[in-house]
Amino acid sequence: MKRNLDYIWPALGFVAVVASFWLLFQEFRGQSLGPQLIAAFKAIPLSHYFLSLCATVVAYIALAFYDWIALLHLGVRHISWRFITLCSFTTYALSHNIGASVVSGAMVRYRGYTSKGLNTAQIAVLVALCSLTFLLGEVLVGGVALLVRPQALAQLDDILPAFLTHASTARTIGFACLGLIALYVVGSLLRLPSLTLRGARIAYPKWDIVLRQLVAAPAEILGAAGIIYFALPEQGNPGFLVVVAVFIFSFSAALASNAPGGLGVFELVFLKSMPGAPHDGVLAALLLFRLLYLLIPLVIAIFVVLAFERRRLAEAIEHHHHLAEEKAGSRNQPQGSSEARPHGKSQ
C-alpha cells in the first residue's frame, strides 16, 4: 500500500495541475493576455511592489518562528537563530514549490536538524508542531475574518454551495473557528495530560508556546495574503479581510491538491473568488505572489542547500583525514623496548 501511495500522490498532483490549467484556459479563452498582463504589472504602483516585498519578508520571518517555537517546546536551546532561520526558509521554499509539503518539509528538516544532534522522534514532533501552528493560524485568522466580514464567503459563490456562502453561515463558521482556538488555549491553561500513541509521547504545549503560536501563525498568513492584496488593482478590490479569507481557502485547496506549488489550483480558485476585479489585474497579483513567495525563495534555497552540503562534505572529508592520521600515528608509535620492561628476578 505504501508503494502504491508513492505513485498515487504524485499522480493526483499531476491530474490537479492538468485540470486546473484546462479550466484556466477555458476562463481566458479568446483573450490576449500578453499585453494585458504587461499593462497590469505596469499599473501596480512602485510603492505597492515595495509593500508586497515587505509582506514577503514578514511571512518568512514568521515561518522561521514556527521552527523556533517547536524547538522551544522540545527544550532544544543550543541551535542558533541563524541556523533555524536558514533551515526554515529552505524547508518552506522547497516544500511550497515541490508539493506534498509535510513530506518534503520533513525531509529537509531531517537533513538539517540531524546535523545539530536532533533524533528522528524530535524532528517528527517538530514537523507536527509546525503544521499545527499553521493550522491554528488559518483557523484563527479565518474565524476573525468571517466574523468581521461575514460576506467574505460570498466571493466563493461559484465554488461552494449557496448555503455555505450565506452571511449567517459565515458567522457560524467564524464562531466555530474561534471556539476551537478557545478550546486549545483552555487545554493549555489546564495543562491537560500528554498522550501516548504507539509508544510516542505527545505532550500538550505549555501556555507560553501556545501564545507564541497564536502570534507567529497569523503574522505569516497576513504577510502572505498581503503580497497579493497590495498588488491587486483598486477596481473590484474587496478589501484586506476578504482577500485574507479567499487566500486561506485558495492556499488550502492548493495544498490539498498535492500539485507542486499548487500550480493552477491556487490561481483558479482565487480568480473564481474575485469576480468583481479585472482578471488580468488579479492574475498579475498572483504571478507577483508566485515570484516573491515561491520562485525567488526557491532559487535562494537551492544555493543555501548547496552551501550546506558543501560544508558538510568538507567536514566529513576533514573528519576522515583526521581519523586516518590518528590511525597511522598509532601504527607508527614505537613499542616499549625490553629495557623499559621490568626485569624478572635473577636465577
Side-chain angles (χ1 to χ4, degrees):
M1 182 61 183
K2 183 180 181 300
R3 284 199 305 269
N4 290 336
L5 287 175
D6 290 339
Y7 295 102
I8 290 172
W9 285 118
L12 288 176
F14 176 75
V15 170
V17 169
V18 172
S20 298
F21 271 111
W22 183 82
L23 291 171
L24 285 172
F25 171 76
Q26 296 296 318
E27 190 78 19
F28 289 102
R29 186 170 55 181
Q31 299 183 34
S32 178
L33 283 180
Q36 293 177 358
L37 270 179
I38 294 173
F41 275 113
K42 289 181 177 180
I44 300 174
L46 188 61
S47 60
H48 285 211
Y49 276 109
F50 177 73
L51 289 172
S52 291
L53 181 60
C54 291
T56 307
V57 174
V58 169
Y60 271 98
I61 289 175
L63 286 173
F65 273 97
Y66 284 19
D67 283 45
W68 178 65
I69 291 167
L71 290 169
L72 286 179
H73 174 70
L74 290 168
V76 177
R77 302 289 192 277
H78 68 277
I79 303 178
S80 69
W81 175 247
R82 177 176 174 271
F83 184 90
I84 294 171
T85 302
L86 287 175
C87 188
S88 170
F89 174 83
T90 306
T91 296
Y92 288 107
L94 292 175
S95 62
H96 284 161
N97 285 278
I98 294 171
S101 57
V102 173
V103 177
S104 55
M107 292 173 63
V108 177
R109 284 193 175 100
Y110 181 84
R111 178 60 179 152
Y113 287 118
T114 50
S115 71
K116 295 296 182 180
L118 270 65
N119 57 40
T120 304
Q122 288 176 310
I123 295 171
V125 173
L126 186 148
V127 172
L129 199 67
C130 287
S131 299
L132 174 62
T133 302
F134 172 73
L135 182 61
L136 287 172
E138 283 201 320
V139 173
L140 176 59
V141 176
V144 171
L146 291 179
L147 285 179
V148 177
R149 293 292 298 274
Q151 67 272 28
L153 288 184
Q155 302 290 126
L156 304 172
D157 273 334
D158 293 340
I159 301 172
L160 297 177
F163 75 94
L164 284 177
T165 60
H166 197 273
S168 59
T169 306
R171 289 192 187 92
T172 302
I173 296 173
F175 277 118
C177 289
L178 295 187
L180 291 174
I181 297 296
L183 287 175
Y184 183 70
V185 172
V186 169
S188 174
L189 291 173
L190 294 178
R191 297 183 179 181
L192 294 182
S194 59
L195 299 175
T196 302
L197 299 175
R198 297 183 179 180
R201 180 175 171 271
I202 303 174
Y204 205 94
K206 295 180 180 178
W207 164 242
D208 59 334
I209 299 296
V210 171
L211 182 61
R212 289 181 173 95
Q213 286 179 301
L214 297 180
V215 172
E220 190 274 325
I221 291 172
L222 294 176
I227 302 171
I228 300 173
Y229 171 75
F230 291 123
L232 283 173
E234 292 186 9
Q235 178 188 349
N237 191 325
F240 184 62
L241 283 179
V242 175
V243 171
V244 168
V246 172
F247 173 82
I248 291 174
F249 185 83
S250 304
F251 199 76
S252 300
L255 289 176
S257 71
N258 202 49
L263 189 61
V265 180
F266 181 76
E267 286 81 2
L268 177 66
V269 176
F270 216 102
L271 283 166
K272 289 286 188 181
S273 305
M274 294 285 166
H279 279 184
D280 51 337
V282 176
L283 190 57
L286 295 176
L287 290 176
L288 182 63
F289 169 81
R290 281 204 173 272
L291 182 66
L292 295 178
Y293 192 74
L294 299 177
L295 298 181
I296 292 178
L298 175 63
V299 173
I300 298 173
I302 290 172
F303 284 102
V304 172
V305 170
L306 289 175
F308 174 79
E309 294 299 344
R310 181 177 177 275
R311 184 169 63 84
R312 294 292 294 171
L313 179 60
E315 290 173 355
I317 293 173
E318 183 181 353
H319 181 66
H320 176 74
H321 285 170
H322 181 68
L323 290 177
E325 288 173 0
E326 284 186 346
K327 196 171 183 180
S330 64
R331 286 177 179 172
N332 297 331
Q333 185 178 359
Q335 300 295 324
S337 63
S338 60
E339 288 79 13
R341 293 194 296 269
H343 293 285
K345 291 182 180 180
S346 59
Q347 298 296 325

